[in-house]
Amino acid sequence: DPKLAKNKKLLYDFWREVFEAGHLELVDKYMAETYIQHNPNVATGRKAFVDFFSKFMKPQPIADTIKAPVVAIIAEGDMVMISFARELPDPKDSAKKYTTTWFDMFRIENGKLAEHWDGATKQ
């Protein structure tokens, strides 16, 4: 389906260029101004996204592929979800690590990311 492929590509390129490479100047290309954020640590709105991530993201070269180990990118209707394998420190033994998965889901509207969900809890 060309529309689903386009939505997957939009998320894939956003993830490479903005989220991983830190090119926040490109958010207008990918994100609706009225972007709705469901992560409890980041406020709603494109400007709020930029304000939050600019505190610790610095632009780096943009890679041809996503660096994180992608499990899947799934699209249905106006929704696209990307999932990753993640390695984290074991809370019971800081010398050890464990593997888990993470997901980010987006709603696409008029060719832009309009809404976001993930499994984040309040920090």
Side-chain angles (χ1 to χ4, degrees), residues 4-121:
L4 297 180
K6 185 177 177 181
N7 287 348
K8 287 180 178 182
K9 177 84 168 116
L10 174 77
L11 176 53
Y12 190 88
D13 290 341
F14 164 79
W15 206 269
R16 284 183 317 108
E17 296 177 13
V18 177
F19 202 77
E20 286 191 342
H23 285 269
L24 295 169
E25 76 279 5
L26 298 176
V27 294
D28 293 6
K29 176 180 170 184
Y30 294 105
M31 190 179 285
E33 185 175 352
T34 56
Y35 177 77
I36 300 166
Q37 177 63 264
H38 295 284
N39 179 313
N41 302 300
V42 185
T44 283
R46 184 171 64 201
K47 183 182 180 318
F49 177 93
V50 171
D51 290 347
F52 179 83
F53 285 102
S54 64
K55 294 174 191 169
F56 51 88
M57 280 183 150
K58 299 297 176 223
Q60 302 170 25
I62 297 170
D64 292 335
T65 59
I66 291 175
K67 296 174 193 171
V70 175
V71 173
I73 301 176
I74 300 167
E76 184 174 328
D78 61 355
M79 306 296 278
V80 181
M81 187 196 70
I82 187 166
S83 61
F84 304 96
R86 290 181 69 186
E87 188 175 79
L88 299 168
D90 188 323
K92 294 180 181 179
D93 183 350
S94 61
K96 294 181 181 179
K97 294 188 177 200
Y98 71 99
T99 302
T100 187
T101 53
W102 184 262
F103 81 92
D104 286 271
M105 186 169 70
F106 295 85
R107 182 176 57 81
I108 312 295
E109 184 179 277
N110 298 321
K112 296 202 176 186
L113 304 173
E115 194 165 3
H116 169 258
W117 297 263
D118 62 21
T121 55

